[in-house]
Amino acid sequence: MSKKYRGIAVEAAVQNWDISEWFTADQLLPKAVESLPQRSCSINVYSVSRYLRLMASRGHLFSRVNSAGVKEFAKVGEYDGDAHFYA
């Protein structure tokens, strides 16, 4: 079974994030759970972290390590999925 819904949920959670400029995977997890398409779907903090790192490597997010050693992410700007690949 494909787990593609997890990536979609994380992307939606990033788009809906408006609490602060920087966020961690742990802080984003509740929004990602709300963005899941069905109740039977599941996601954990490790999956959120994996997709955040993937988005950062593609240039959609900034990343840094804070003083406690926790990786934080911030939005670069408007994110339209992978639309920039087709422009």
Side-chain angles (χ1 to χ4, degrees), residues 12 18 33 36 44 47 77-78:
D18 57 356
V33 170
L36 291 172
N44 58 24
S47 296
E78 286 299 316

Side-chain angles (χ1 to χ4, degrees), residues 5-20 22-38 43-45 48 52 75:
Y5 63 87
R6 291 179 179 165
I8 295 168
V10 171
E11 289 177 7
V14 168
Q15 288 298 318
N16 295 330
W17 183 261
D18 57 356
I19 296 173
S20 64
W22 292 91
F23 52 88
T24 63
D26 191 35
Q27 293 170 334
L28 195 67
L29 180 61
K31 287 206 179 264
V33 170
E34 291 173 6
S35 301
L36 291 172
Q38 297 177 356
I43 193 167
N44 58 24
V45 72
V48 172
L52 288 174
K75 295 182 203 179

Side-chain angles (χ1 to χ4, degrees), residues 65-85:
V65 178
N66 67 10
S67 61
V70 177
K71 194 166 232 185
E72 295 180 322
F73 299 91
K75 295 182 203 179
V76 170
E78 286 299 316
Y79 175 63
D80 296 328
D82 291 336
H84 70 283
F85 289 123

